[in-house]
Amino acid sequence: MKKLSKRAVVILAVIVGLAVLYFLFSAIAEHQIKGSIDETVGERLEYKEINVNLLAGNLQLLEPEIRIGKQSIAAAEISVRGFSYYNYLFRDRIHIDKVILLFPEIEISSRGGGTNTSDKGLEEPIEIGSFEIRGGKLRLKDSLEEQLYLRFEEFDLKGIALNDSTVKERIPFTYESYRLAGDSLHVNLGPLHYLTAGSTDLLDGKLSVETIQVVPRYGKMEHQQHIPHEKDRYDVSIQRVETTNLSFSFLKDSLVLRDSLLSITGAHIAVYRDKLQPDEERIKPLYSQQIRELPVKLDISRVEVKDSEVVYEERLQETGPPATVTFQNVNGSILNIVNVDLDREDFPETKVTASSLFMNKTPLEVDWSFSVNDRYERFLIRANFDRIQGSTLDPFIKPAMNITADGTINTIAMTFSGDDDRAKGDMRLHYEDFKMNVLKKDGEERSGFLSALANLFVKNDGINRQLVHEDLEVTRDKERSFWNYMWLCLRKGAFEHLLRI
């Protein structure tokens, strides 16, 4: 057996020595890292195992769980890869190539348990090439119930930088790009409704959310047993919501959302109201005030609504069907939903333009404008109805007033300007041989005497008649909504002047 040469022995000794030093330094580094973690977060962090690879600059924690007050994050693994010792030792910078969090379950309590933030800056700036989460779940809870649940397949944040300035901000770091892909969202909207959504994809401001629903917890009749006064029941489904360049920031303590274009496709909105319930005795603000006082700040340049539908039902009697108004094929846009920088001189006006089929038959066009920063809540609205057959109105006027209609209203054109107190405007109405049929108590059979009496009051003494009503004035009931306000305007111009009442 040949003896090793002196050179080979030296090389072997160096290799063995380096190996011993590597394992020694790894053990020392692992001990120091454990000590640093314990000193920084103490008992708030638990983990099953820690592994350190000095050569690659990698750190791995298995089954970590961190708790800060009532907030917690538990995961299968967290890995730190590519820690640069050169940047740390010679440039006083912490640089990490990648941080990976596997299958985390994040639980946040919205009440209490948080820690106070410190005004102290960072001793060294931190750079992270990418932060990646795979297979995560997020739960937001109050003291009793789960308010939000989000399950996401992946979350990527790239080009992260933390420094002495950024850590003092609400978002304590800057980033270059991000992506979130989720497949399940559940949001508690209170005791009467909840929201769900299907697949969600968010990439650098481009958001796409599929199959959004606002689901009522109770049926129409049971809903009334859970409310102290008149309160709407909503049943909403939306095929898709998309944004173009959504951005997030903070203004003092308020979240600010900005986007140039938000689109809503295939929305079906069903609203049910039981008018037999006690009135809710509170002032209902107009939309300009509602937007102005939102807790979230908005700067949305344009919202587009496509291929949507609105169904409104009112229960007016103990028996029989509700009065129903429908708007199909709703398409339109809203310009400038803005509630930031309210005092600037060039504050933009909010403009709504929409078209639909009223009662699935009559073309309807609406133009509506107001200024969110106007404390008088002034607005201007124009609406034009095309040909309406009398029978088209029956689903509303039959349950509401126990009457049906015959004949044709060729056009209704109305223009009203108003504020929080009253509205003034004009209306043009063209109809042909319009007649009212008063029904008997059973709500089905026509009462000849009452119908004849009612038609004495209808101004249809000519086969063709056009009415122009100017200087109409309506006083707002502030305990009713904006749409009740518009109904008063329509009734003032059409029904009260169509009938001799």
Side-chain angles (χ1 to χ4, degrees):
M1 184 174 175
K2 294 182 179 180
K3 294 183 178 180
L4 292 173
S5 65
K6 290 183 179 180
R7 184 178 180 181
V9 171
V10 171
I11 293 173
L12 181 60
V14 170
I15 292 174
V16 171
L18 289 174
V20 171
L21 286 174
Y22 171 74
F23 286 110
L24 178 62
F25 282 126
S26 292
I28 294 172
E30 184 173 317
H31 177 75
Q32 288 181 334
I33 290 171
K34 286 181 178 179
S36 178
I37 290 174
D38 291 340
E39 182 181 350
T40 304
V41 295
E43 297 179 353
R44 292 175 291 183
L45 174 65
E46 297 179 357
Y47 52 88
K48 181 179 180 181
E49 184 179 337
I50 183 170
N51 298 310
V52 178
N53 185 326
L54 282 180
L55 291 179
N58 295 345
L59 169 69
Q60 180 190 54
L61 289 177
L62 298 181
E63 299 183 17
E65 181 175 359
I66 186 167
R67 292 185 176 276
I68 302 175
K70 294 184 178 180
Q71 331 304 334
S72 69
I73 301 176
E77 176 187 322
I78 182 169
S79 297
V80 177
R81 299 180 182 178
F83 173 74
S84 172
Y85 293 99
Y86 175 83
N87 283 316
Y88 180 66
L89 293 175
F90 299 104
R91 298 176 59 192
D92 293 326
R93 304 179 72 88
I94 297 175
H95 179 87
I96 298 169
D97 289 340
K98 184 182 293 186
V99 177
I100 301 174
L101 192 59
L102 298 182
F103 309 111
E105 295 195 7
I106 305 166
E107 187 171 302
I108 300 173
S109 174
S110 62
R111 293 189 182 179
T115 58
N116 295 327
T117 58
S118 173
D119 291 332
K120 292 177 63 178
L122 291 178
E123 293 183 4
E124 298 92 9
I126 299 175
E127 298 172 351
I128 302 175
S130 68
F131 176 74
E132 302 175 5
I133 299 178
R134 298 291 177 264
K137 297 177 182 178
L138 170 65
R139 291 181 171 87
L140 175 64
K141 295 184 175 182
D142 63 13
S143 59
L144 298 176
E145 296 182 329
E146 184 172 274
Q147 300 299 310
L148 179 147
Y149 170 83
L150 172 64
R151 185 177 67 190
F152 52 96
E153 300 168 358
E154 57 182 290
F155 174 72
D156 296 332
L157 198 60
K158 297 186 183 301
I160 305 166
L162 296 84
N163 56 46
D164 191 61
S165 298
T166 64
V167 294
K168 299 174 184 177
E169 302 295 329
R170 290 294 298 271
I171 300 177
F173 55 85
T174 61
Y175 56 89
E176 294 177 357
S177 65
Y178 62 90
R179 180 172 188 263
L180 170 69
D183 61 8
S184 180
L185 174 67
H186 186 284
V187 181
N188 182 9
L189 300 179
L192 300 176
H193 302 87
Y194 62 90
L195 180 146
T196 65
S199 62
T200 301
D201 193 89
L202 176 60
L203 175 62
D204 295 337
K206 295 184 182 296
L207 171 69
S208 176
V209 185
E210 306 281 344
T211 319
I212 302 168
Q213 293 182 297
V214 175
V215 183
R217 298 185 186 274
Y218 309 104
K220 293 178 180 177
M221 293 299 102
E222 189 180 357
H223 177 88
Q224 316 311 318
Q225 301 172 18
H226 297 270
I227 55 177
H229 46 67
E230 189 180 294
K231 197 172 185 66
D232 291 342
R233 175 186 182 272
Y234 295 95
D235 191 348
V236 180
S237 64
I238 303 173
Q239 291 179 9
R240 183 170 59 259
V241 172
E242 296 174 297
T243 68
T244 303
N245 52 358
L246 183 66
S247 68
F248 310 85
S249 61
F250 283 92
L251 181 63
K252 295 182 180 179
D253 292 330
S254 299
L255 175 65
V256 182
L257 301 178
R258 288 184 167 88
D259 193 19
S260 60
L261 176 61
L262 183 151
S263 66
I264 300 170
T265 302
H268 174 85
I269 303 172
V271 183
Y272 179 84
R273 175 173 293 187
D274 188 345
K275 298 295 289 184
L276 302 180
Q277 295 289 327
D279 291 338
E280 183 184 11
E281 295 180 353
R282 70 173 180 88
I283 293 177
K284 295 180 174 62
L286 299 184
Y287 285 104
S288 51
Q289 182 180 348
Q290 291 185 45
I291 296 172
R292 186 170 62 246
E293 296 177 354
L294 283 172
V296 175
K297 300 302 181 183
L298 300 175
D299 189 353
I300 310 297
S301 299
R302 182 181 181 91
V303 177
E304 290 186 350
V305 179
K306 307 172 185 177
D307 303 324
S308 296
E309 178 182 25
V310 178
V311 178
Y312 177 74
E313 295 180 310
E314 272 192 3
R315 183 188 181 210
L316 298 165
Q317 302 176 13
E318 290 286 352
T319 59
T324 304
V325 179
T326 62
F327 302 88
Q328 283 87 8
N329 295 349
V330 177
N331 293 276
S333 66
I334 308 172
L335 301 181
N336 304 318
I337 302 181
V338 181
N339 61 3
V340 294
D341 299 328
L342 295 172
D343 296 329
R344 73 179 191 258
E345 292 183 2
D346 60 343
F347 191 85
E349 188 177 48
T350 301
K351 296 183 179 181
V352 181
T353 303
S355 64
S356 70
L357 286 179
F358 173 66
M359 307 299 277
N360 204 26
K361 293 181 180 179
T362 300
L364 167 63
E365 294 184 351
V366 176
D367 289 291
W368 169 30
S369 60
F370 56 86
S371 291
V372 171
N373 69 341
D374 183 0
R375 305 282 174 169
Y376 293 101
E377 323 303 345
R378 287 171 288 204
F379 65 88
L380 174 66
I381 189 166
R382 299 183 178 93
N384 292 284
F385 292 82
D386 209 336
R387 179 184 293 262
I388 305 174
Q389 296 296 330
S391 57
T392 300
L393 301 173
D394 287 352
F396 182 75
I397 64 174
K398 183 178 177 181
M401 295 177 279
N402 206 37
I403 60 176
T404 61
D406 293 326
T408 303
I409 300 175
N410 289 321
T411 59
I412 299 178
M414 57 177 278
T415 300
F416 277 85
S417 61
D419 55 27
D420 201 28
D421 297 310
R422 60 186 57 83
K424 295 181 179 181
D426 59 69
M427 179 169 291
R428 287 163 174 77
L429 179 69
H430 181 206
Y431 67 91
E432 296 179 20
D433 198 23
F434 192 80
K435 295 184 182 298
M436 312 295 286
N437 304 308
V438 181
L439 304 177
K440 293 182 178 180
K441 288 185 178 181
D442 60 10
E444 296 297 333
E445 187 177 351
R446 180 177 182 272
S447 171
F449 172 74
L450 293 176
S451 296
L453 184 62
N455 284 306
L456 288 176
F457 295 93
V458 178
K459 298 178 180 179
N460 60 353
D461 49 334
I463 294 179
N464 263 314
R465 185 168 181 85
Q466 183 163 333
L467 302 175
V468 177
H469 304 295
E470 298 176 336
D471 300 322
L472 300 172
E473 185 169 340
V474 173
T475 300
R476 184 189 173 215
D477 181 349
K478 294 187 179 182
E479 292 186 357
R480 297 290 184 268
S481 69
F482 173 80
W483 301 109
N484 173 269
Y485 199 5
M486 291 303 97
W487 162 246
L488 294 178
C489 294
L490 181 62
R491 188 180 72 179
K492 185 76 173 182
F495 289 93
E496 290 186 14
H497 287 266
L498 182 64
L499 304 176
R500 299 180 190 275
I501 55 176

